[in-house]
Amino acid sequence: MTGSEDTLVAEVDDAEADDAERSVGRSRSRELLLLAGICLSVLLLVNAFVARPFSVPSGSMENTLRPGDRLVVNQLSYAFGGHPRRGDVVVFDGTGSFLRKPLERDGLWTSLRSFGRDVGLVPAGDSVYVKRVIGVGGDRVTSAGPGHPITVNGVPVDESGYLFPGDEPSAVAFDVVVPSGKLFVLGDHRRASRDSRDHLGDPGGGFVPESKVIGRAAWVVYPVGRWATVDRSAAFAAAGGTGGHGDQR
């Protein structure tokens, strides 16, 4: 074999090696893209159907939740026949109860934004609220105003465990019966919360349909120093009635 033939063979071998390396590189790139796609799909599915991030927008739930706290909302809490319970902190869409009409017009862009909110890619927007469930369907919830506790089915509720220091249970008197399938909700920082009390005279009476509940606030995950679970308050254990949902205790 001549020197030129040796050189040609070596060049062919080098080219084949380069092709093999490029093929391996392309294969690895495809694998990485596939892995990234799977991870993104799983994340979107988790955000859409299991656990959704939510940023607390105001001080209406202090000191339980503070402005800027990042929550994980458990969307499976009320799945498979479950219902919100008294004392739960819930995240819900207030359109039709706290807001008289949608803030956005129908259209493709609105649909895309709605999808983005559902999967956690777009902020929740001004129609999403976080409050504590005080009464469920069938409950009679009353307040005699300043200096008096809120009662549920005639039982005074000790809210000292979560009310903002110095706040009254309610500065206004009211007496309501919660319709079936709806919720009466209040903020823990009563002086800074616009909640069911503020919408008693509106269409719907300020009651939140259970169908509008996104999920239960389960964990505070940010800031790091605020890591905590958001547990159901035991303050309602003595309240009578079941609200049509079975045992509420």
Side-chain angles (χ1 to χ4, degrees):
M1 184 178 288
T2 64
S4 61
E5 291 175 336
D6 290 341
T7 300
L8 180 59
V9 171
E11 289 176 349
V12 169
D13 290 343
D14 289 343
E16 290 178 347
D18 289 342
D19 288 342
E21 289 180 1
R22 284 194 291 270
S23 178
V24 170
R26 287 193 294 269
S27 178
R28 288 177 178 173
S29 297
R30 285 194 294 269
E31 289 175 356
L32 288 174
L33 286 173
L34 179 60
L35 180 61
I38 292 173
C39 290
L40 179 59
S41 298
V42 170
L43 178 61
L44 292 177
L45 288 172
V46 168
N47 281 351
F49 302 107
V50 181
R52 178 173 169 181
F54 177 76
S55 179
V56 178
S58 72
S60 69
M61 282 296 294
E62 289 181 313
N63 281 326
T64 305
L65 303 173
R66 296 175 183 172
D69 280 354
R70 285 351 184 239
L71 301 177
V72 172
V73 179
N74 185 348
Q75 297 184 100
L76 296 181
S77 292
Y78 311 123
F80 313 111
H83 297 273
R85 303 278 180 152
R86 306 182 195 109
D88 283 354
V89 177
V90 296
V91 174
F92 61 93
D93 181 355
T95 304
S97 55
F98 283 26
L99 296 172
R100 295 190 180 186
K101 59 183 179 180
L103 297 179
E104 299 172 334
R105 296 180 179 178
D106 293 335
L108 177 61
W109 180 243
T110 299
S111 298
L112 290 174
R113 284 184 60 83
S114 178
F115 173 77
R117 284 194 290 265
D118 289 343
V119 298
L121 297 178
V122 176
D126 295 336
S127 67
V128 178
Y129 297 79
V130 56
K131 304 292 181 187
R132 188 179 298 276
V133 177
I134 304 299
V136 298
D139 285 343
R140 182 180 182 184
V141 184
T142 70
S143 169
H148 298 276
I150 285 175
T151 71
V152 177
N153 300 325
V155 179
V157 180
D158 180 6
E159 299 186 275
S160 59
Y162 55 77
L163 274 185
F164 188 81
D167 275 10
E168 295 275 2
S170 180
V172 297
F174 58 83
D175 186 340
V176 299
V177 175
V178 185
S180 177
K182 297 191 176 182
L183 307 171
F184 187 85
V185 298
L186 301 176
D188 289 356
H189 191 356
R190 300 285 157 84
R191 288 180 296 173
S193 177
R194 289 186 57 82
D195 44 43
S196 288
R197 298 168 300 169
D198 296 279
H199 300 279
L200 293 174
D202 293 348
F207 300 113
V208 177
E210 288 189 26
S211 61
K212 291 287 190 176
V213 174
I214 296 167
R216 181 177 62 83
W219 304 280
V220 178
V221 296
Y222 183 84
V224 174
R226 292 273 298 154
W227 283 1
T229 59
V230 184
D231 297 321
R232 176 182 300 144
S233 171
F236 299 85
T242 66
H245 299 164
D247 187 9
Q248 283 278 317
R249 303 184 184 202

